[in-house]
Amino acid sequence: MDPQAFIRLSIGSLGLRIPGSALNTSKAGIHAFSSPCSCEIRLRGFPMQTTSIPLVSSPEATPDIQNIASSFYLEDSDVKALLTPGCFYNPHACLEITVFTGRKGSHCGVGVKRQQIGTFKLEVGPEWGQGKPVILFNGWIGIGKNKHESGKPGAELHLRVQLDPDPRYVFQFEDVTMLSPQIVQLQGSIKQPIFSCEFSRDRVAKVDPLSTYWTGSAESSDIETERRERKGWKVKIHDLSGSAVAAAFITTPFVPSTGCDWVAKSNPGAWLIVRPDIYRPESWLPWGKLEAWRERGIRDSICCRFHLLSEAQDGAEVLMSEILINAEKGGEFFIDTDRQLRQGPTPIPSPQSSGDFSALSPIAGGFVMSCRVQGEGKSSKPLVQLAMRHVTCVEDAAIFMALAAAVDLSIEACKPFRRKLRIGSRQSL
């Protein structure tokens, strides 16, 4: 499998030094101020990102270089677009970081205004398209508005801006998941078959090794059952030889919560993601658990929460992602330790890879996978991206295909249930 070229632009090691600011002393010299500082990070063609910035009081203190505050992921087309000259008033694309003090919003009905401290700009250059690791900036820089006035020092921003190659494998389901499509790897305009997806709605037969995980009776789902619960859904991922290399199936039925006709957070549906046990043929081992429910609002969303099941401790779970997907338009489910788990990268155990299930290096955090799906009632053909560093063999990719299929099917499983019309209800309308 040949990966596609991506780069990661990371902004980290943030800190703000404001001369004359009243701060309590601290050994570390780095503070979380009661009126926090924040910044807006902009890059042309990408959604704006917002993050907080700690205040630094000690001249000797330096923010942690391993602390990544924000990341952008760019493919070749993104880099080319950024390097293309823009309109006359903004000919060159820039990474722009605007720093503020105070909170945005209101308190007790009184509006609270943020005060802009200054802006840092970094122009996009040819090195962005070279596909090599490069540190674009690292250190302190003055950004205060009064930095040239009266000889007084203004505010200073510390940051580290870095580019790193982040190659990915890109896969696509060629049809709707429920139609048991083929899964191909995309390499430019070339499509290479890699897996096949087998979907079934019935209870698994007793001879199926997956039946170990089932609870309840083995009756087939029918139309009446689907009106009050959705269960018995299963997806198997097969390699080109026809061997099952990963699977996902519903363990907790998707049912409407009491007093409503949708799956609520208080009682989410759940999938178990499993992989083959290489030491015991025809046996499966749990790898992850995906929970899903419907969040009601002006625009309904489907919440997908994924836990990695630890091999070291039975029953131990590690939260890897909790994402809201627009129920109507669809969206993206992702596992990304930079975007989701700001407290520090969590290692992702290799799901297969010739029997070695040890955790990958914690340094290899950041992007792990993403899956783009369509909304309810639309023809969804999931598009999946996997970080190359988390894939050592075909079986590694297969387990993420099973997870992607479960995410896609959860959009359908979380649709509101039909309520039976009561006798005489039409007359009362």
Side-chain angles (χ1 to χ4, degrees):
M1 296 190 302
D2 295 325
Q4 292 189 22
F6 281 76
I7 61 170
R8 178 175 77 151
L9 171 67
S10 58
I11 301 97
S13 190
L14 290 177
L16 188 64
R17 203 155 51 194
I18 303 178
S21 60
L23 296 170
N24 296 325
T25 58
S26 169
K27 291 183 179 179
I30 301 176
H31 309 260
F33 203 38
S34 58
S35 179
C37 297
S38 63
C39 67
E40 294 177 350
I41 305 174
R42 292 181 172 87
L43 184 65
R44 191 172 72 191
F46 292 84
M48 182 189 72
Q49 298 185 24
T50 304
T51 187
S52 60
I53 306 179
L55 285 169
V56 180
S57 60
S58 171
E60 296 80 19
T62 302
D64 183 7
I65 63 173
Q66 299 296 334
N67 186 3
I68 304 299
S70 177
S71 296
F72 295 89
Y73 297 99
L74 295 78
E75 50 186 311
D76 283 342
S77 59
D78 297 322
V79 176
K80 290 178 181 178
L82 289 171
L83 291 173
T84 301
C87 49
F88 66 92
Y89 64 87
N90 189 19
H92 300 289
C94 291
L95 172 69
E96 182 176 317
I97 302 174
T98 306
V99 182
F100 300 88
T101 58
R103 295 182 182 273
K104 188 176 182 180
S106 61
H107 178 68
C108 298
V110 179
V112 178
K113 292 184 178 180
R114 295 184 305 168
Q115 180 180 355
Q116 181 175 326
I117 297 177
T119 300
F120 168 86
K121 290 185 178 182
L122 181 67
E123 189 172 303
V124 176
E127 66 275 10
W128 288 52
Q130 294 174 357
K132 298 178 181 179
V134 58
I135 298 174
L136 300 174
F137 185 88
N138 185 33
W140 290 97
I141 184 170
I143 61 168
K145 292 182 178 180
N146 62 340
K147 61 184 177 182
H148 298 302
E149 298 175 7
S150 306
K152 296 181 180 179
E156 292 180 295
L157 175 68
H158 187 279
L159 75 163
R160 180 185 177 95
V161 183
Q162 185 168 339
L163 286 174
D164 291 290
D166 191 30
R168 301 180 184 182
Y169 297 109
V170 182
F171 302 89
Q172 177 135 43
F173 289 57
E174 289 212 290
D175 209 334
V176 178
T177 307
M178 285 187 173
L179 297 180
S180 299
Q182 192 174 50
I183 302 173
V184 297
Q185 182 186 0
L186 302 181
Q187 297 169 304
S189 60
I190 301 174
K191 294 183 179 181
Q192 179 184 355
I194 298 292
F195 304 109
S196 61
C197 171
E198 179 190 355
F199 172 77
S200 63
R201 225 188 201 104
D202 298 333
R203 286 288 189 176
V204 289
K206 292 184 178 180
V207 295
D208 192 319
L210 286 178
S211 61
T212 305
Y213 296 101
W214 288 111
T215 58
S217 64
E219 296 178 0
S220 298
S221 300
D222 55 20
I223 297 177
E224 185 59 32
T225 300
E226 289 287 316
R227 286 178 178 172
R228 65 178 187 274
E229 64 179 359
R230 296 177 183 125
K231 62 182 181 180
W233 296 10
K234 179 184 67 171
V235 175
K236 276 187 179 181
I237 307 298
H238 298 266
D239 61 17
L240 294 179
S241 69
S243 301
V245 286
F249 54 91
I250 292 178
T251 51
T252 302
F254 288 75
V255 297
S257 295
T258 304
C260 62
D261 62 350
W262 65 87
V263 181
K265 184 177 182 179
S266 58
N267 186 28
W271 296 78
L272 188 64
I273 318 298
V274 297
R275 55 178 175 79
D277 186 345
I278 62 171
Y279 300 109
R280 293 188 302 165
E282 303 300 322
S283 298
W284 298 82
L285 292 174
W287 177 76
K289 182 179 72 173
L290 178 74
E291 296 175 298
W293 64 89
R294 192 178 193 89
E295 292 280 0
R296 300 308 299 263
I298 298 176
R299 291 190 178 127
D300 285 7
S301 297
I302 308 301
C303 185
C304 292
R305 180 168 60 195
F306 175 69
H307 285 88
L308 193 67
L309 302 181
S310 173
E311 294 179 351
Q313 300 177 355
D314 291 340
E317 300 179 356
V318 180
L319 177 63
M320 298 305 303
S321 184
E322 186 168 328
I323 306 295
L324 287 172
I325 299 175
N326 187 294
E328 179 185 359
K329 298 180 179 179
E332 183 184 48
F333 172 85
F334 60 84
I335 301 175
D336 186 336
T337 58
D338 286 347
R339 293 166 65 183
Q340 192 72 16
L341 305 173
R342 294 298 185 191
Q343 65 269 31
T346 304
I348 307 292
S350 174
Q352 184 75 343
S353 68
S354 67
D356 179 13
F357 307 125
S358 58
L360 300 178
S361 168
I363 298 176
F367 176 83
V368 178
M369 69 90 70
S370 68
C371 170
R372 183 163 293 279
V373 298
Q374 297 297 317
E376 296 171 347
K378 297 180 180 178
S379 179
S380 183
K381 301 176 183 179
L383 180 67
V384 185
Q385 295 182 2
L386 301 180
M388 187 182 74
R389 63 182 177 275
H390 291 297
V391 179
T392 58
C393 61
V394 172
E395 288 80 5
D396 286 354
I399 198 74
F400 289 107
M401 297 303 109
L403 174 58
V407 170
D408 184 46
L409 291 170
S410 292
I411 305 297
E412 182 72 19
C414 288
K415 287 174 62 176
F417 291 79
R418 298 176 184 175
R419 288 183 175 179
K420 291 183 178 180
L421 289 175
R422 295 180 180 178
I423 297 176
S425 60
R426 290 188 177 182
Q427 287 82 358
S428 62
L429 293 177

